[in-house]
């Protein structure tokens, strides 16, 4: 049976991993290579590296990290943050990443998704969105607007319409980041996840708001997400990955339990 | 030398890195002449079937692969590499494959999320050397929208996604895996090491 995935997300700024709180990253959470290695040994299903500076210097730092991590960590690696052009995507995939995560650039130039999917395959093109709840009246269905530039700029795009366009253009997977929930640790935006899951066929990765194993359980069941991204609960060792997976397994969620048998990989 | 066949499709570096990490001599080869002296052939790939097959043929890889397999060289198709081993695919029209194994590549039913992305388990139907030390029910990392149901004689392991499909196929020295062993942590590395030790 296909397992639900647990994906630690490392927000990288000037070579250090930092925690995001409502899009203003502030607190130092340690060395990203060390963290990545720890998560690998703990049985993370994938890793995401996010360049929060979204600058060319930031990109170079993240690429050095991915190169180093990909020499010894054999799970899928995704890189996001400030990817704007076809050449950016190619550089990142050549450098050892398995997937690229495209966000703002898809709004500016939606064709970048198609170009990426046609050249590298949909499986390595992840479309990420930052969504903020719109005010709605009593009894109305919730709605979300797409924001770009790290959640600072409204686009007027409706999230449900936009995700369908992203998938039509070739995105193989969607990361749904809730601006409302991001950094609050009050739980994922469940409605955002199950609303999008109902209109697209590709896997959904939930992001933003994780504060506990219970939150992950909720978004993987009620939220219908295929995977959950989490940052600070792992970085600050509030939970270990095996702990979260055990919690999920005990409640009937299929997960890949993993025991590293020690030593250098499997030489 | 293990030749990792570069036909302009997909992330080959991770396959090369995995073999190198295990201490084997693996080289990405972008022309068939470079791979002629190889002891092992690996065909990775992620792109669409039609494009992948066209690129293989345009660059002359089909002859080298078929000749190598006939000579008894261990061959491993990974992901699209496995699919290319079969007769044909319905991905984006009808396309002929390498025809090493009978079978047709078809799309997953609409009842499941497509592509399948993530870790799924294998059920082993018969033991082959690349599965030494790989327990029944092991998880591997899969990313694909199309699958094959191989003939009984060629099927080594199956996986469940909507329905049962072939996740490992083999005929003599020609082996194919639908998942990515190079992205499947220790268990994937074990499979690659077993392959590299075949002679």
């Amino acid at each position: 049976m296909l397992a639900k995935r647990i994906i630690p997300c490392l927000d990288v700024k000037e070579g250090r991993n930092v925690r995001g709180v409502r899009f203003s990253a502030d607190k130092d959470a340690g060395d990203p290579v060390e963290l990545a290695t720890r998560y690998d040994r703990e049985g993370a299903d994938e890793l995401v590296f996010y360049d929060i500076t979204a600058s060319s210097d930031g990109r170079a730092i993240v690429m050095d990290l991915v190169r180093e991590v990909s020499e010894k960590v054999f799970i899928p690696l995704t890189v996001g943050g400030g990817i704007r052009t076809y050449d950016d995507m190619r550089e990142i995939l050549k450098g050892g990443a398995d997937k690229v995560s495209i966000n703002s650039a898809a709004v500016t130039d939606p064709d970048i998704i198609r170009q990426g999917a046609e050249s590298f395959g949909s499986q390595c093109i992840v479309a990420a969105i930052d969504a903020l709840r719109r005010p709605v009246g009593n009894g109305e269905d919730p709605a979300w607007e797409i924001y770009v530039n790290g959640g600072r700029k409204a686009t007027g795009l409706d999230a449900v319409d936009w995700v369908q366009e992203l998938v039509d253009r070739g995105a193989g997977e969607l990361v749904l980041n809730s601006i409302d929930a991001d950094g609050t640790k009050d739980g994922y935006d469940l409605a955002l996840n199950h609303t999008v899951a109902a209109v697209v066929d590709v896997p959904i990765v939930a992001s933003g708001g994780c504060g506990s194993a219970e939150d992950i359980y909720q978004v993987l069941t009620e939220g219908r997400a295929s995977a959950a991204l989490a940052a600070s609960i792992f970085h600050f060792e509030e939970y270990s990955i095996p702990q979260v997976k055990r919690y999920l397994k005990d409640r009937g969620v299929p997960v890949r339990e993993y025991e590293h048998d020690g030593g250098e990989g499997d030489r | 030398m293990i030749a990792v066949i570069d036909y302009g499709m997909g992330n080959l570096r991770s396959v090369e890195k995995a073999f190198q990490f295990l201490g084997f001599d693996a080289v990405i080869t972008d022309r068939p002449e470079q791979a002629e002296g190889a002891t092992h052939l690996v065909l990775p790939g992620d792109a669409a079937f039609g494009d992948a097959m066209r690129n293989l043929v345009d660059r002359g890889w089909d002859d080298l692969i078929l000749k190598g397999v006939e000579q008894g060289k261990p061959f491993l198709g990974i992901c699209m590499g496995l699919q290319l081993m079969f007769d044909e695919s319905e991905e984006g029209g009808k396309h002929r494959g390498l025809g090493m194994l009978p079978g047709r590549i078809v799309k997953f039913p609409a009842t499941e999320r497509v592509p399948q992305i993530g870790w799924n388990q294998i059920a082993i139907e018969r033991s082959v050397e690349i599965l030494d030390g790989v327990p029944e029910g092991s998880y591997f990392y899969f990313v694909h929208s199309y699958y094959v149901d191989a003939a009984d004689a060629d099927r080594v392991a199956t996986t469940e996604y909507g329905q049962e499909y072939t996740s490992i196929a083999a005929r003599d020295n020609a082996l194919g895996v639908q998942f990515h062993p190079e992205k499947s942590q220790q268990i994937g590395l074990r499979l690659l090491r077993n392959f590299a030790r075949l002679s």
Side-chain angles (χ1 to χ4, degrees):
Chain A
M1 196 175 196
L2 182 67
K4 298 281 189 179
R5 287 168 285 155
I6 304 300
I7 308 175
C9 177
L10 290 85
D11 291 336
V12 180
K13 185 185 179 187
E14 287 153 11
R16 299 290 287 182
N17 179 53
V18 293
R19 175 177 71 141
V21 179
R22 282 190 193 265
F23 285 79
S24 60
D26 53 0
K27 191 170 166 186
D28 193 327
D31 173 49
V33 176
E34 241 168 67
L35 271 176
T37 312
R38 188 181 100 208
Y39 295 146
D40 173 52
R41 297 179 75 87
E42 285 189 1
D45 295 311
E46 301 186 27
L47 291 174
V48 172
F49 295 89
Y50 204 82
D51 165 25
I52 60 161
T53 63
S55 62
S56 54
D57 288 356
R59 167 80 47 72
I61 289 165
V62 169
M63 284 321 299
D64 282 347
L65 279 175
V66 168
R67 221 165 276 128
E68 194 177 339
V69 170
S70 67
E71 302 288 339
K72 52 191 173 191
V73 168
F74 297 97
I75 57 176
L77 307 174
T78 302
V79 171
I83 296 170
R84 290 188 184 85
T85 65
Y86 176 84
D87 288 339
D88 291 345
M89 290 192 272
R90 196 180 52 193
E91 182 199 343
I92 288 165
L93 294 170
K94 279 193 90 148
D98 302 287
K99 312 184 204 182
V100 288
S101 179
I102 316 282
N103 192 329
S104 304
V107 174
T108 320
D109 174 20
D111 202 48
I112 193 174
I113 300 285
R114 183 194 59 79
Q115 283 177 28
E118 280 181 7
S119 301
F120 312 114
S122 283
Q123 82 291 330
C124 55
I125 306 300
V126 181
I129 61 159
D130 291 325
L132 186 73
R133 280 187 179 237
R134 292 180 196 268
V136 290
N138 266 348
E140 283 184 72
D141 287 339
W144 296 264
E145 182 175 353
I146 300 295
Y147 278 65
V148 292
N149 298 346
R152 288 187 296 272
K153 191 177 157 208
T155 64
L157 291 167
D158 176 73
V160 171
D161 295 338
W162 180 236
V163 291
Q164 292 177 83
E165 172 153 6
L166 291 168
V167 172
D168 287 346
R169 286 181 185 266
E173 198 169 22
L174 293 173
V175 174
L176 309 182
N177 189 42
S178 159
I179 298 174
D180 307 275
D182 191 66
T184 63
K185 306 186 79 172
D186 290 336
Y188 298 91
D189 186 336
L190 299 182
L192 172 64
N193 283 277
H194 67 67
T195 302
V196 171
V199 297
V200 298
D201 289 333
V202 302
I204 303 293
V205 182
S207 165
C210 182
S212 68
E214 169 68 15
D215 293 340
I216 294 177
Y217 171 76
Q218 291 288 346
V219 84
L220 295 178
T221 52
E222 194 186 324
R224 298 186 58 197
S226 299
L229 216 67
S232 58
I233 69 160
F234 296 133
H235 302 334
F236 299 109
E237 301 186 50
E238 292 156 29
Y239 286 86
S240 70
I241 291 165
Q243 232 178 325
V244 169
K245 288 195 172 181
R246 174 50 56 129
Y247 181 95
L248 295 169
K249 191 186 178 198
D250 287 347
R251 284 156 187 78
V253 177
V255 290
R256 178 186 68 116
E257 284 194 290
Y258 172 76
E259 241 170 78
H260 197 284
D261 61 18
E264 273 293 288
D266 189 35
R267 252 183 243 251
Chain B
M1 182 261 271
I2 300 168
V4 179
I5 296 171
D6 179 2
Y7 55 114
M9 301 273 147
N11 181 3
L12 313 174
R13 282 282 290 139
S14 55
V15 176
E16 182 194 32
K17 279 181 186 178
F19 280 118
Q20 289 173 346
F21 177 82
L22 293 166
F24 295 101
D25 176 23
V27 179
I28 294 177
T29 50
D30 57 16
R31 289 196 318 276
E33 306 87 83
Q34 295 174 312
E36 263 164 18
T39 54
H40 294 63
L41 300 173
V42 178
L43 182 65
D46 289 311
F49 192 99
D51 294 342
M53 193 60 202
R54 193 177 51 242
N55 274 15
L56 269 187
V57 173
D58 285 354
R59 298 175 189 210
W61 282 112
D62 50 340
D63 288 343
L64 180 120
I65 291 168
L66 294 171
K67 204 175 87 196
V69 168
E70 203 182 299
Q71 290 167 345
K73 288 182 183 177
F75 169 90
L76 180 65
I78 296 176
C79 194
M80 177 52 68
L82 164 128
Q83 298 189 2
L84 291 165
M85 294 166 72
F86 288 83
D87 282 335
E88 61 176 11
S89 170
E90 66 168 33
E91 180 176 2
K94 196 171 163 181
H95 300 282
R96 308 251 356 127
L98 290 167
M100 292 154 67
L101 304 174
R104 180 177 164 82
I105 315 298
V106 295
K107 194 162 191 180
F108 276 127
T111 51
E112 303 301 317
R113 296 212 167 265
V114 178
Q116 171 178 226
I117 299 184
W119 299 78
N120 205 334
Q121 291 172 290
I122 60 164
I124 300 171
E125 295 199 350
R126 75 181 152 96
S127 70
V128 292
E129 280 169 288
I130 56 164
L131 290 177
D132 283 353
V134 176
E136 171 69 13
S138 290
Y139 278 99
F140 288 92
Y141 188 80
F142 290 83
V143 183
H144 59 128
S145 301
Y146 291 78
Y147 71 93
V148 69
D149 196 2
D152 291 354
D154 301 325
R155 204 165 54 232
V156 168
T158 60
T159 293
E160 195 80 30
Y161 192 62
Q163 82 282 316
E164 199 180 88
Y165 67 92
T166 301
S167 44
I168 306 179
R171 183 180 288 187
D172 305 324
N173 51 311
L175 306 150
V177 294
Q178 180 60 68
F179 48 81
H180 286 272
E182 77 282 10
K183 288 287 151 187
S184 298
Q185 245 174 341
Q186 285 188 306
I187 203 76
L189 293 177
R190 188 167 302 153
L191 186 148
L192 291 177
R193 187 183 51 197
N194 290 339
F195 171 75
R197 285 179 177 170
L198 294 175
S199 55

